[in-house]
Amino acid sequence: MRIHVSFLILPFLFLLAGCGGLVSQDTDQRGEIAPILTSEEAFDDQTFAKPQEARVTHIDLDMAMDFDAKTIGGTATLDVLAADEASEIILDSNGLRVSAVTDEAGNALTFDLGETVEGKGEPLTIQLPVQKLERDAELAEGELASTHRIVIEYVSAPGAEALQWLSPEQTAGGEHPFIFSQGQAINNRTWIPTQDSPGIRQTWQATISAPEPLNVVMSGVIQGDPEPEDGNRRDFRFVMNNPVPPYLIAIAAGNIEFRELGPRSGVWAEPEVIESAAQEVGDTEEMIDAGIALFGDYRWGRYDMIILPPAFPYGGMENPVMTFLTPTFIAGDRSNNGLVAHELAHSWSGNLTTYSSWRDGWLNEGVTSYFENRIVEEVYGKERAEQEYALSYAGLVGGIDEVGADNPGTAMRTPDAISPFDTKGFAIYDKGTVFLRTVENIIGREKFDAWLTQWFDSHAFEPVTSEMFLADLRKKLIGDDAELEKRLMLDKWVYGTGLPENAWKADPQAFAEVDGAAAAYANEGTLPNVDAWRDWTAAEQRRFLEELPQDLSDEQLAALDTTLGLSQTGNNEVLFLWLEAALSNEYGPAVPQAERFMATMGRNKFVSPLFTALNETDWGKPIARRIYAETRSSYHAYTRGNVDKTLQYEGSAGTALSD
């Protein structure tokens, strides 16, 4: 049963009178307090928090990095908004070592770390201070202000899943260590004591101490130059005044430098990578302009990026003002820049408006993937956008065919019967893309764009649900038009499994030439013309490789590689598809290259399927185990967890949404 959406209502707060008050202290550091949703769909079963009773509104971190111990430790000062009768607040922890909790004056507060729940961590329950914070006299009656402040002294969990500590040998430069974090889905509770739920948005600030000569970046706006401290260390300060879901608090540090791309954007990377990185993301300013023209203001100030070492498990992570990107997208020709468009689009869908529950993953990723395609169309043209949509549509159809149309994991909103992390990636990304393309074409682009723009405006910096999305769409675009409601099939898309029959199909002309070449190869063994292959876009090359026959002989694979130069490509998306086909067909000459590929990157999108391909044959199983024994320690916990399951290693890690 789905019930009407409502906001958190505590009698003493007068929330309906306004939900934008500033807290009374350090008003330049603390932004508006976001609402809490209390509908059934908004409930997050992955947190121990009870935000209706007491919730975090702001975090102030004062932390030091220890590369020898591989920990981050210090204090977290939390502003708390609590009901009058509330005596405690419950936070999320996963292995945190808490040494003390006090009020603002240093008086000890009682706290308790509860029993560990596998995959979720343990609740950290803290008694609230008796003394409440004073309200700013300028705040009007009914405006919200935090009621308590608590200080937690702690150090991050040993082996914290959010933190990846790299040795110098795992970096491009080979001289200095590196660290990066990955908070999504529920990993930040391994290094930050807070209410780790996407529906409990929080502002934050941080002071981070790191050894010289490392530079630190975070998903907040840096405040001035780093300040030297004793012991050859420097302090870096950051602020995020907009309330964000806590999984978007991110950090990275290493021997990195900056290149400006334009007045609003720039890129960080190791010196050995910075020039190629800056060239690859050179269209960023144009993408920002396209996003603004499509769906409204960019509200984050800057849009910077960092190119991480290859161990980063994702293509990208949309951390505000500092997108994290894998170096594997760098192809030299900007052919994989749909990734940049995707992470930028998250500045509206996912960061500006965020699902309250992990069961609504499509509200972030599906909407973003649709938005990404629109940016690609604006910047690179309709043909490229149609080709990328066709790839997405094919991925959706193929995914449903593989698992079955009645598989609950194919529903866009994860049903209660399964874990929110068991929803199939194609249902979150590709099905969401096709859904919105379908709605756009039935309603009309102009009307749909205006509606989506106001959706972002109306719920900026707030949590949302599928129920809210559909209700707003019905109210403002469908109204009493029963025929339009029937044509759109909204509930079937969001809550149903499989692919609804009204799905807007990809343009068959998008890959007409390529599909003809793929058919000729499958039926007659005719390889594409070499000059034509070289002129194809990366999307066209990927399409051809994805359409290869499943069973190929050594002679066929050798001819493909020799003629098309597959093993020499500079595009990792294309190289991956070649290696996957080769390993699936037990092609020995590809093993050394696959081994190098898997040893020098940790992107799950590439690593996990290649281990799966090897593990599916008796020929490949020993190869997979030999390679994994050498590479496992270099992978992020997310990648390790997926490969552990494939190869039946013990201690597999949890699952998260990924781009």
Side-chain angles (χ1 to χ4, degrees), residues 251-263:
I251 191 168
N255 182 32
I256 53 176
E257 57 184 56
F258 181 75
R259 287 287 185 278
E260 185 177 280
L261 300 172

Side-chain angles (χ1 to χ4, degrees), residues 147-196:
T147 54
H148 298 84
R149 183 165 295 146
I150 57 179
V151 182
I152 304 170
E153 184 177 329
Y154 74 103
V155 67
S156 65
E161 289 185 10
L163 305 176
Q164 181 79 350
W165 301 86
L166 303 180
S167 66
E169 293 75 23
Q170 293 174 285
T171 67
E175 294 184 18
H176 302 283
F178 204 106
I179 180 180
F180 63 82
S181 69
Q182 172 55 40
Q184 192 182 38
I186 57 172
N187 288 335
N188 267 356
R189 63 190 65 179
T190 65
W191 78 284
I192 302 173
T194 188
Q195 292 172 320
D196 188 15

Side-chain angles (χ1 to χ4, degrees), residues 132-466:
K132 293 186 178 181
L133 298 175
E134 294 183 5
R135 288 179 58 86
D136 191 316
E138 296 181 359
L139 283 178
E141 188 65 30
E143 289 188 332
L144 301 184
S146 297
T147 54
H148 298 84
R149 183 165 295 146
I150 57 179
V151 182
I152 304 170
E153 184 177 329
Y154 74 103
V155 67
S156 65
E161 289 185 10
L163 305 176
Q164 181 79 350
W165 301 86
L166 303 180
S167 66
E169 293 75 23
Q170 293 174 285
T171 67
E175 294 184 18
H176 302 283
F178 204 106
I179 180 180
F180 63 82
S181 69
Q182 172 55 40
Q184 192 182 38
I186 57 172
N187 288 335
N188 267 356
R189 63 190 65 179
T190 65
W191 78 284
I192 302 173
T194 188
Q195 292 172 320
D196 188 15
S197 173
I200 310 175
R201 301 179 72 110
Q202 303 150 30
T203 56
W204 62 270
Q205 62 192 68
T207 299
I208 306 295
S209 170
E212 293 185 297
L214 305 186
N215 282 316
V216 180
V217 297
M218 291 191 74
S219 53
V221 179
I222 194 165
Q223 304 296 293
D225 295 326
E227 299 178 4
E229 59 168 308
D230 294 338
N232 296 320
R233 298 179 69 90
R234 294 185 296 171
D235 286 341
F236 297 77
R237 291 182 169 80
F238 304 88
V239 168
M240 174 49 68
N241 280 328
N242 298 319
V244 296
Y247 71 80
L248 290 179
I249 304 175
I251 191 168
N255 182 32
I256 53 176
E257 57 184 56
F258 181 75
R259 287 287 185 278
E260 185 177 280
L261 300 172
R264 299 163 296 188
S265 63
V267 61
W268 290 86
E270 293 183 75
E272 296 78 10
V273 181
I274 190 66
E275 296 303 332
S276 61
Q279 189 281 329
E280 200 75 11
V281 298
D283 297 328
T284 300
E285 286 287 334
E286 189 176 354
M287 289 185 182
I288 297 172
D289 287 336
I292 292 170
L294 285 167
F295 298 119
D297 293 340
Y298 180 79
R299 295 168 171 86
W300 303 91
R302 290 195 59 81
Y303 183 76
D304 292 328
M305 295 157 283
I306 177 173
I307 309 300
L308 295 168
F312 185 58
Y314 302 105
M317 182 62 206
E318 63 271 16
N319 302 309
V321 310
M322 188 61 67
T323 281
F324 284 19
L325 292 170
T326 172
T328 64
F329 89 101
I330 297 175
D333 58 4
R334 303 181 184 177
S335 57
N336 294 330
N337 273 12
L339 173 65
V340 180
H342 182 95
E343 304 310 334
L344 171 64
H346 269 302
S347 302
W348 287 264
S349 51
N351 296 1
L352 190 66
T353 60
T354 312
Y355 43 53
S356 179
S357 163
W358 297 106
R359 295 185 180 278
D360 274 330
W362 79 273
L363 279 175
N364 280 23
E365 300 300 349
V367 178
T368 293
S369 296
Y370 168 81
F371 196 166
E372 165 200 341
N373 193 254
R374 297 291 303 277
I375 292 176
V376 167
E377 180 179 332
E378 291 294 318
V379 176
Y380 298 111
K382 187 173 181 62
E383 181 180 8
R384 177 166 166 178
E386 284 300 316
Q387 289 179 347
E388 294 188 6
Y389 178 72
L391 289 175
S392 182
Y393 189 93
L396 172 60
V397 172
I400 292 174
D401 287 345
E402 182 178 351
V403 303
D406 59 350
N407 188 306
T410 65
M412 285 164 53
R413 174 172 167 89
T414 309
D416 292 341
I418 65 174
S419 164
F421 306 132
D422 286 341
T423 297
K424 304 300 180 182
F426 60 77
I428 296 173
Y429 291 80
D430 299 320
K431 190 174 179 181
T433 305
V434 176
F435 167 55
L436 293 187
R437 174 70 77 95
T438 302
V439 175
E440 173 207 323
N441 280 279
I442 292 175
I443 288 179
R445 173 171 284 193
E446 184 176 353
K447 288 182 179 180
F448 183 69
D449 284 1
W451 174 80
L452 192 54
T453 300
Q454 69 79 34
W455 166 258
F456 293 140
D457 288 341
S458 299
H459 300 286
F461 305 113
E462 294 181 357
V464 292
T465 65
S466 291

Side-chain angles (χ1 to χ4, degrees), residues 117-129:
V117 176
E118 185 177 357
K120 189 174 176 179
E122 54 276 339
L124 172 57
T125 303
I126 299 172
Q127 296 299 306
L128 292 171

